[in-house]
Amino acid sequence: MKAIQITETGGPDVLALADVPAPSPNPGQVLVKVAYAGVNYIDTYYREGIYHSELPFVPGLEGCGEVVEDPAGEIAPGTVVAWDSAPGSYAEYVCVERGRLVAVPDSIEPRVAATMLLQGITAHYLLYGVRDTQQGDSLLITAGAGGVGLLLTQLAAAQGATVFSVVSTDEKEKLAYDAGATEVFRYSDDLAEMVRRRNGGRGVDVVYDGVGKDTFNESLEAVRPRGLVCLFGAASGPVDPIDPQILNTHGSIFLTRPSIGAYTATDDEFRMRAQAVVRAVDDGTLNLRVQEPYALADAAQAHKDLQGRRTTGSIVLRVSV
Ligand code: NDP
């Protein structure tokens, strides 16, 4: 089968189209023919070797496609499914754990389904798992027009939260407003000052920071005393080690560094969040902005655009459509 294969970690050009043997499912898995594969920032961490995978490997975790074979005979061939944690998804065929896929209703286009789960579940657990977001909460979201950022903004706005979003361009600013942001800032703004001017000098209840290295110090400054800094990504690089005393000097604040794996620890928790995302996409609460798909062979370009801050919303590879 055709797949993107990584034989050495490094820059985007290590993503090479190759002919590799198709995988075969073990009894707990289902074999799926991939229609579209989702492209996520985490794929760049594996490609660079920041997260470890045995070489050579086929990258990608997420997608949408049709079931080809279920060794247990539970899922009919041809059923359209989506998944977010199947290593090797940048390929024509992938094996998905049976407890880690959802059926896709006809109302959701496959290219949307291919990218709704990883970022959608992330937005869901950040708002309802890490902490229960309430109406009137104030949130600061970095990379507000990215894949996770737009979904986080839409869900938080639907919950009645005040959302301050941070983006880098005019186009991204418009998308953040369209998603429901209350106000949109730029990284060059003094974020702590901007939010305090707007909420009586308090600082925000929560900062959701997926940018990391470049924004972390400002995140600490922008949160209110006893508020929460939720560092959930490192698009600009990993944050330097910190002295815990810093949490005291900023007003007894909380810091967490969560992962989707920990918040979908069981099949039941995965299903609960995945079904909430499918419902929200289906009823329009979540409106995914999916860019024109890249061909599978252009995976390197997709990574270059993602890391070059040229993408907005979610991106997918067209695999076998
Ligand atoms: P995005 O679509 O948000 O792309 C990354 C965005 O980060 C860019 O578009 C850019 O937006 C912003 N950015 C700021 N500084 C930089 C920089 N120096 N280099 C590159 N980008 C920069 O990606 P995803 O939605 O896939 O992921 C967003 C973040 O969420 C990532 O850090 C990812 O690792 C994390 N994540 C974490 C999960 C978890 O469970 N912990 C799960 C899923 C994602 P702008 O131009 O506006 O700054």
Side-chain angles (χ1 to χ4, degrees), residues 17-235:
L17 191 66
D19 281 305
V20 304
S24 33
N26 68 34
Q29 296 177 324
V30 170
L31 181 67
V32 178
K33 183 172 188 203
V34 180
Y36 294 95
V39 176
N40 291 283
Y41 224 90
I42 191 172
D43 304 340
T44 72
Y45 305 148
Y46 279 106
R47 191 204 73 221
E48 289 173 355
I50 297 170
Y51 289 178
H52 180 72
S53 196
E54 246 4 271
L55 291 169
F57 69 97
V58 175
L61 293 167
E62 184 180 39
C64 173
E66 281 188 8
V67 171
V68 176
E69 181 193 348
D70 176 4
E74 288 172 12
I75 306 177
T79 305
V80 180
V81 293
W83 62 91
D84 73 339
S85 59
S89 290
Y90 288 8
E92 287 180 301
Y93 295 91
V94 69
C95 293
V96 186
E97 299 299 322
R98 190 177 293 98
R100 297 285 165 157
L101 45 73
V102 287
V104 176
D106 291 345
S107 54
I108 302 180
E109 281 182 62
R111 74 164 153 169
V112 172
T115 184
M116 67 183 173
L117 288 185
L118 203 153
Q119 296 170 349
I121 289 175
T122 298
H124 189 272
Y125 88 71
L126 291 175
L127 291 173
Y128 305 114
V130 166
R131 178 180 175 278
D132 209 11
T133 305
Q134 304 291 326
Q135 183 169 11
D137 282 352
S138 56
L139 316 177
L140 178 69
I141 298 175
T142 62
V148 174
L150 285 178
L151 303 187
L152 198 49
T153 302
Q154 290 174 38
L155 280 187
Q159 185 74 34
T162 299
V163 177
F164 300 113
S165 180
V166 194
V167 302
S168 64
T169 66
D170 288 349
E171 185 203 2
K172 291 183 179 188
E173 177 178 320
K174 181 173 181 321
L175 292 173
Y177 276 122
D178 288 349
T182 313
E183 198 158 351
V184 183
F185 305 133
R186 296 299 166 87
Y187 297 92
S188 53
D189 292 330
D190 181 338
L191 299 175
E193 168 69 16
M194 298 297 249
V195 297
R196 282 201 171 74
R197 246 192 255 157
R198 281 152 185 86
N199 72 357
R202 251 177 106 239
V204 290
D205 296 309
V206 189
V207 181
Y208 288 110
D209 187 357
V211 168
K213 190 175 181 62
D214 290 355
T215 48
F216 182 66
N217 287 336
E218 287 225 69
S219 296
L220 298 177
E221 298 290 339
V223 77
R224 68 164 166 80
R226 292 161 54 178
L228 172 67
V229 172
C230 177
L231 175 69
F232 69 95

Side-chain angles (χ1 to χ4, degrees), residues 262-283:
Y263 282 89
T264 51
T266 62
D267 289 354
D268 281 349
E269 189 172 18
F270 163 77
R271 218 169 290 118
M272 178 273 286
R273 297 197 194 285
Q275 284 169 358
V277 170
V278 171
R279 269 198 311 277
V281 174
D282 198 31
D283 72 16

